[in-house]
Amino acid sequence: GRTALGEVLDITMTESRHPHLLAFKGKMNVLLHLAQDEEGLRELTGYRLLEKLSGCSFMRTHAQGERQIRALLRCPRGANDLGVLARRFHQLLTPVLQLFVALLHDAEDPSALRDPAARFLWTHRQIFREVMMGTPGG
């Protein structure tokens, strides 16, 4: 289903969804800052943040299929509406990936991270496939 954050990628809701994007950016900045500190990382792990992140689907709310994902990752020149969506997609995707990588560095019990990390990767497999396999302009 759609979420308020997922609707950030809806071009028809440009202005009304801007506050959701700003709130998301603020929250992600706090989480990323916490994840940079060993004690903060332990706290985030204690709150099972990786498990919660693995259940999130907002990144793929409007990206249904390889072609749409490819378009969001590599916006063709002159596609203004798609350019706005691509920028927003990157504003959502980049901090989530940074947080995901940071959470993988919890050294207390790395085996506990395996399942939620695998679920996160599986849930967003089309996005990761395009990131890893796609080529600009291709």
Side-chain angles (χ1 to χ4, degrees), residues 1-3 5 47-61 96 99-100 103 113 115-124 128:
R2 287 188 173 188
T3 64
L5 190 56
Y47 287 119
R48 301 173 47 111
L49 188 58
L50 189 57
E51 287 87 347
K52 290 173 177 65
L53 191 61
S54 72
C56 290
S57 62
F58 67 86
M59 289 196 308
R60 57 187 171 86
T61 299
V96 169
L99 184 59
F100 174 72
L103 292 170
L113 303 175
D115 288 341
R119 276 193 307 278
F120 177 81
L121 294 170
W122 181 255
T123 299
H124 300 95
F128 288 112

Side-chain angles (χ1 to χ4, degrees), residues 5-132:
L5 190 56
E7 289 176 357
V8 166
L9 295 174
D10 187 342
I11 195 67
T12 64
M13 305 179 102
T14 301
E15 295 304 319
S16 66
R17 295 300 166 207
H18 191 67
H20 295 292
L21 184 58
L22 290 176
F24 171 79
K25 286 179 176 183
K27 290 176 182 180
M28 289 304 292
N29 282 334
V30 169
L31 292 172
L32 287 167
H33 182 72
L34 287 171
Q36 292 174 4
D37 176 70
E38 188 176 324
E39 187 176 325
L41 183 58
R42 274 196 307 271
E43 288 292 320
L44 294 177
T45 303
Y47 287 119
R48 301 173 47 111
L49 188 58
L50 189 57
E51 287 87 347
K52 290 173 177 65
L53 191 61
S54 72
C56 290
S57 62
F58 67 86
M59 289 196 308
R60 57 187 171 86
T61 299
H62 288 277
Q64 303 294 325
E66 292 176 19
R67 201 168 172 187
Q68 287 178 326
I69 293 169
R70 191 174 304 122
L72 288 172
L73 291 172
R74 290 173 292 284
C75 179
R77 293 175 196 244
N80 290 336
D81 285 352
L82 196 53
V84 169
L85 290 179
R87 280 192 300 278
R88 288 185 190 165
F89 188 69
H90 283 264
Q91 288 175 330
L92 295 175
L93 180 64
T94 302
V96 169
L97 294 180
Q98 290 171 330
L99 184 59
F100 174 72
V101 170
L103 292 170
L104 292 178
H105 287 92
D106 181 27
E108 268 188 38
D109 188 10
S111 64
L113 303 175
R114 192 174 307 127
D115 288 341
R119 276 193 307 278
F120 177 81
L121 294 170
W122 181 255
T123 299
H124 300 95
R125 64 191 173 279
Q126 289 180 315
I127 294 169
F128 288 112
R129 181 183 181 281
E130 286 303 318
V131 167
M132 300 301 291

